[in-house]
Amino acid sequence: GEITQAALSEIRAEAYALKSAPSSTEEKRVITFEMAWESFRKKMAEATNSKWSQHTLDQATARMWNYVSHTEIWTMPVSEITSDHVLQSVAPARERYPKLAPKVIALIGQVLSSVAGKEGLAINAAKALKDELKSTERRVVFERHPAITDLDGIGKLLYAIDNCKSTLSTRVAMTLQAYSAQRTGEVVGAMWSEFSFQEDGSVIWTIPRARMKVSDVQSKPYDQVLHLTQSVTKQLNRLERKGDYLFRPRFGKSDHIRVESLPNAYWEMGYKGIAVPHGWRSSLKTLAEDSLDDDDRPLFAPSWIEAVLDHSPRGVSVHYHRAKTEKGMRRVLFWWGSLLDDALEKHTRQLLNRAE
């Protein structure tokens, strides 16, 4: 019979459908959460104008490895992950680190968003869980632990740190934080290249601005330079110089111990609710501000103390007089190191006297 235009169009449509249809032997590639994370991490690391610093990337990698890699969603196709799966994966973190858990959920959400277009995800399971928890649970409110500001308490804590059951890396990291009063993330990520050991036995720790909490070079165009006492040098010399990082983990693939290692150690020492690693910053600030000379005048300018903590006092442009500020910071830290040494020695001596 005659081939009409309509019949020809129908044949063409059927041929195109057969050509476009996937082969029965060809299976669609399944994207697992692990694959999505690796792709996301690579994009953030290689992006020319990435929002993430190297410190942020390392922190995200550690959180993913410690809290997600061993859970069910790690090997699941992203298209099958539900909010219940995400909730189960962060259950341990929600129980022990309620402040950290939302950050892990948000990180999972970022990874799922990065593949949502390719995989046709109608709902981001992590973001759905975040909205659900926000509407059904009260926000976690944390009480600020008072800083230990009495010398007896400080000496007791330093002695507990030096004699606890934690790994050597964790013990030395806790001691470095006590003597430097820096943030936990900056301590655990310390690298050997940042330390310059001096002939007098002291050590200069230069933390690159990119590793600091305020990493913006525009607002703070300088690194954090800390002059630390011989006590710190003695502690650092206990470590094996293997690799780039000071505080290497005993197990796992991480370059250095995780941030949570330090608060965990405080809990194990019996200091839960009494002291936290971050508390050393408050201790130094309180005691330094209250210190007076023989004429009842403050020992230190407020800007020196704030500079040690990498704070920016309002109305004070410390970076315009950075050399002078660093000299003041050195005075604060050497005074602080001597204070800690005396407190530890006094507590140790008291324990020996009791033993006799």
Side-chain angles (χ1 to χ4, degrees):
E2 183 180 356
I3 299 178
T4 63
Q5 186 64 36
L8 186 59
S9 298
E10 186 177 345
I11 293 172
R12 287 174 176 169
E14 290 178 358
Y16 179 79
L18 289 172
K19 182 179 180 180
S20 303
S23 171
S24 58
T25 59
E26 180 183 343
E27 295 183 3
K28 181 181 178 181
R29 188 188 182 202
V30 175
I31 303 297
T32 65
F33 184 83
E34 179 184 8
M35 294 165 63
W37 157 249
E38 289 298 335
S39 175
F40 175 77
R41 187 182 66 81
K42 186 177 180 181
K43 288 179 182 177
M44 299 306 292
E46 297 178 352
T48 304
N49 192 25
S50 177
K51 291 183 177 180
W52 284 16
S53 65
Q54 185 60 46
H55 171 66
T56 303
L57 183 62
D58 292 343
Q59 189 177 59
T61 302
R63 287 173 179 171
M64 192 63 68
W65 179 258
N66 291 319
Y67 299 108
V68 184
S69 65
H70 57 278
T71 65
E72 183 182 9
I73 71 170
W74 191 247
T75 56
M76 286 183 64
V78 293
S79 58
E80 297 180 10
I81 296 175
T82 65
S83 57
D84 286 340
H85 291 129
V86 178
L87 182 60
Q88 291 173 10
S89 69
V90 298
R94 275 167 54 83
E95 180 179 356
R96 191 161 190 180
Y97 309 111
K99 189 177 181 181
L100 176 65
K103 298 179 181 179
V104 178
I105 295 174
L107 180 58
I108 295 173
Q110 287 180 294
V111 174
L112 293 178
S113 293
S114 69
V115 295
K118 292 181 179 179
E119 292 300 298
L121 301 183
I123 298 176
N124 186 316
K127 290 187 176 180
L129 175 62
K130 181 181 177 181
D131 293 340
E132 179 184 347
L133 296 178
K134 187 176 181 180
S135 62
T136 58
E137 294 185 357
R138 291 183 178 180
R139 183 180 178 183
V140 178
V141 178
F142 292 86
E143 297 181 0
R144 290 187 176 273
H145 297 304
I148 298 179
T149 55
D150 64 287
L151 295 184
D152 289 338
I154 287 176
K156 183 179 180 181
L157 176 54
L158 289 171
Y159 184 87
I161 288 173
D162 202 36
N163 293 274
C164 69
K165 296 181 179 179
S166 299
T167 64
L168 177 62
S169 285
T170 301
R171 297 200 306 272
V172 177
M174 289 190 288
T175 303
L176 176 60
Q177 184 169 38
Y179 279 80
S180 67
Q182 299 307 293
R183 299 178 182 89
T184 307
E186 291 149 12
V187 171
V188 299
M191 305 181 72
W192 286 112
S193 58
E194 299 170 359
F195 291 84
S196 175
F197 295 91
Q198 306 300 299
E199 292 183 359
D200 63 357
S202 64
V203 60
I204 299 176
W205 181 18
T206 303
I207 310 176
R209 176 53 52 189
R211 282 214 312 112
M212 302 294 291
K213 181 179 180 180
V214 180
S215 58
D216 184 11
V217 179
Q218 299 278 332
S219 60
K220 292 187 176 182
Y222 50 83
D223 296 331
Q224 180 76 328
V225 180
L226 306 166
H227 295 257
L228 304 174
T229 61
Q230 295 179 3
S231 296
V232 175
T233 301
K234 291 177 182 177
Q235 288 289 330
L236 298 182
N237 285 336
R238 300 172 66 188
L239 299 171
E240 182 182 4
R241 299 197 184 190
K242 183 179 180 181
D244 296 328
Y245 293 89
L246 274 69
F247 308 117
R248 298 181 61 80
R250 182 182 295 177
F251 306 107
K253 298 181 180 179
S254 298
D255 291 325
H256 53 75
I257 61 175
R258 54 196 177 100
V259 171
E260 294 77 25
S261 299
L262 273 59
N264 282 351
Y266 275 67
W267 285 21
E268 293 168 359
M269 292 188 298
Y271 277 87
K272 181 180 180 181
I274 300 173
V276 292
H278 198 81
W280 288 109
R281 295 169 61 78
S282 298
S283 297
L284 180 146
K285 180 178 173 65
T286 301
L287 291 173
E289 288 179 341
D290 292 344
S291 295
L292 305 173
D293 62 16
D294 295 336
D295 296 325
D296 290 334
R297 293 178 301 184
L299 278 178
F300 312 112
S303 61
W304 300 349
I305 301 170
E306 298 298 336
V308 168
L309 304 175
D310 199 41
H311 290 165
S312 299
R314 291 184 179 180
V316 179
S317 301
V318 294
H319 62 276
Y320 289 120
H321 309 285
R322 191 61 188 173
K324 183 177 179 180
T325 299
E326 287 181 4
K327 288 182 180 179
M329 293 168 62
R330 184 180 187 277
R331 286 182 57 184
V332 173
L333 287 169
F334 270 55
W335 165 85
W336 177 245
S338 178
L339 192 75
L340 297 190
D341 288 345
D342 292 343
L344 177 58
E345 182 182 355
K346 180 181 177 181
H347 182 74
T348 305
R349 190 167 56 247
Q350 289 175 345
L351 293 178
L352 293 174
N353 291 338
R354 291 174 192 171
E356 293 177 356

